[in-house]
Amino acid sequence: DAGITQSPRHKVTETGTPVTLRCHQTENHRYMYWYRQDPGHGLRLIHYSYGVKDTDKGEVSDGYSVSRSKTEDFLLTLESATSSQTSVYFCAISESGRPPYEQYFGPGTRLTVT
Amino acid sequence: DAKTTQPTSMDCAEGRAANLPCNHSTISGNEYVYWYRQIHSQGPQYIIHGLKNNETNEMASLIITEDRKSSTLILPHATLRDTAVYYCIVRARLMEYGNKLVFGAGTILRVKS
């Protein structure tokens, strides 16, 4: 299994509070991604990174920011959590930006915003 | 994006081969076919990919039709642990410096004893 960990694995927080989720990889892969998964919507890309300090938005980036100061860590921050951000968050990594696009996923973080 | 069509759900007897079909009639010539699966409460797991030729690895076989408009993922000897949602993906939306896998609804495979 690819060396990807996510922390925390579960979190309950209140509306309006900031939350940071961490993704850590030991594979030295260049590309890292944050997805969210909700019933009826499948997996949707929030943000991705193509290198240290190089990030870009995905399809559902509003309300989220990311940072990547080291190859191995990709942080997802909810500046002011809302109930609509209750979801399961998955981090993924990929070695290459060219086909084929094999991505390896972490175990997920279940976030509940009350 | 190229769309995929998969059955909503399938059942398979334990020990038998599970054949999961996927239609992707709008696939373009340079697009790969990918299969992932997601076991309940876990992250998606990469299974296999192919372009034109049939492929086999330790997990599964991928059969792609000659016109590339459909494919079949074969789990040769399904076990209860293969119960999962299986995603067929034929489009990774290219962005300037990366890529995005577009997951559809997938097929729920239930392996029964």
Side-chain angles (χ1 to χ4, degrees):
Chain A
D1 289 343
I4 310 168
T5 57
Q6 293 184 231
S7 59
R9 294 293 314 280
H10 301 272
K11 185 170 183 66
V12 179
T13 191
E14 293 184 349
T15 297
T17 60
V19 176
T20 295
L21 309 183
R22 180 183 184 233
C23 176
H24 179 79
Q25 60 146 329
T26 59
E27 304 297 322
N28 201 37
H29 283 359
R30 179 182 173 188
Y31 295 87
M32 298 186 75
Y33 309 82
W34 277 108
Y35 291 86
R36 61 177 288 176
Q37 186 172 36
D38 307 287
H41 290 278
L43 279 140
R44 293 181 290 175
L45 182 67
I46 305 171
H47 281 279
Y48 70 102
S49 169
Y50 47 94
V52 173
K53 297 186 179 178
D54 292 322
T55 65
D56 206 346
K57 296 178 180 180
E59 59 185 321
V60 290
S61 60
D62 288 348
Y64 301 95
S65 62
V66 290
S67 65
R68 191 167 177 203
S69 59
K70 298 184 291 184
T71 297
E72 58 265 35
D73 289 326
F74 192 31
L75 304 181
L76 177 71
T77 297
L78 291 65
E79 301 290 347
S80 178
T82 67
S83 59
S84 64
Q85 294 176 311
T86 291
S87 187
V88 181
Y89 291 86
F90 290 102
C91 173
I93 65 174
S94 177
E95 186 172 17
S96 172
R98 293 190 297 273
Y101 306 113
E102 299 170 43
Q103 291 188 9
Y104 299 94
F105 286 78
T109 294
R110 184 173 296 275
L111 176 67
T112 302
V113 183
T114 61
Chain B
D1 288 346
K3 291 187 67 175
T4 62
T5 303
Q6 298 179 252
T8 302
S9 64
M10 296 180 63
D11 291 337
C12 177
E14 189 177 21
R16 303 295 295 270
N19 296 276
L20 292 93
C22 179
N23 287 321
H24 34 79
S25 58
T26 60
I27 192 171
S28 62
N30 61 351
E31 289 178 325
Y32 284 77
V33 179
Y34 309 83
W35 283 85
Y36 284 73
R37 73 180 183 183
Q38 188 171 22
I39 296 170
H40 182 62
S41 298
Q42 297 183 20
Q45 178 188 21
Y46 165 80
I47 301 173
I48 199 167
H49 72 270
L51 184 61
K52 295 179 181 178
N53 301 320
N54 298 337
E55 302 288 345
T56 296
N57 63 19
E58 65 277 4
M59 288 183 66
S61 294
L62 174 60
I63 309 298
I64 303 173
T65 57
E66 191 170 343
D67 62 8
R68 303 211 325 123
K69 293 184 177 181
S70 65
S71 61
T72 301
L73 178 74
I74 301 172
L75 307 178
H77 304 287
T79 71
L80 297 177
R81 288 174 295 180
D82 292 321
T83 292
V85 179
Y86 286 77
Y87 297 99
C88 169
I89 302 166
V90 296
R91 179 74 180 218
R93 186 176 292 145
L94 279 175
M95 298 171 288
E96 185 174 6
Y97 293 109
N99 63 84
K100 180 179 82 169
L101 293 174
V102 180
F103 286 79
T107 295
I108 300 169
L109 175 68
R110 301 184 187 91
V111 181
K112 299 183 175 181
S113 58

